[in-house]
Amino acid sequence: MFERIAMLRCLATAAVLVGFTLPAAAFELSFAWGDTPPCDSGRPAVVASPEFQLANVPPGTRVIAFEMTDLNAPDFRHGGGTVPYAGNDTIPAGAFRYLGPCPPAGPHRYMWTATARDRGTTFGRTLGEATATRSFPH
């Protein structure tokens, strides 16, 4: 019996070391730019986050990490933020600050990615992920 328990612990440790995880669940995300200030200089300012709507967030979610990508300039890092999650379907505008959308020539498409995690660190287990895309200026 002791040998069997020791073997199971060894297998569990090996699974963690090679990155074995359960697949993350998908959930739903939408947003509106709201009061995001207009900008076309290509030099984004630090602005307040838009309001986000969530649905079907995985059970056990403690934080949601948001990150924005400019799909027309994917190498530019806009950043994002991490917010505590307590079951609310709305993350209010201004929950964090990031480098806002600021396309230098015409509208760009921006994608927000929301990652549900079981704890508030980058080492938290990913429970689910959602994306939403909109143009700016709208």
Side-chain angles (χ1 to χ4, degrees):
M1 178 74 160
F2 176 74
E3 290 174 359
R4 186 175 196 163
I5 292 171
M7 179 184 278
L8 289 174
R9 284 184 182 161
C10 187
L11 288 172
T13 301
V16 169
L17 291 175
V18 297
F20 175 78
T21 58
L22 295 174
F27 63 100
E28 298 168 44
L29 171 70
S30 63
F31 73 98
W33 290 116
D35 293 332
T36 302
C39 177
D40 62 5
S41 68
R43 292 182 302 234
V46 175
V47 299
S49 62
E51 179 179 282
F52 297 97
Q53 295 295 319
L54 308 168
N56 302 314
V57 175
T61 297
R62 298 291 176 256
V63 298
I64 299 180
F66 293 89
E67 184 173 356
M68 189 177 82
T69 303
D70 181 339
L71 297 177
N72 297 91
D75 291 334
F76 186 87
R77 309 307 281 169
H78 282 272
T82 300
V83 297
Y85 180 72
N88 303 333
D89 290 339
T90 300
I91 304 297
F96 59 88
R97 299 182 67 74
Y98 72 107
L99 287 176
C102 191
H108 279 204
R109 291 188 52 76
Y110 293 89
M111 180 176 70
W112 280 102
T113 300
T115 304
R117 293 198 176 112
D118 64 353
R119 58 181 181 245
T121 68
T122 55
F123 299 107
R125 185 169 53 112
T126 296
L127 302 175
E129 191 170 272
T131 61
T133 304
R134 295 182 78 91
S135 292
F136 190 90
H138 39 283

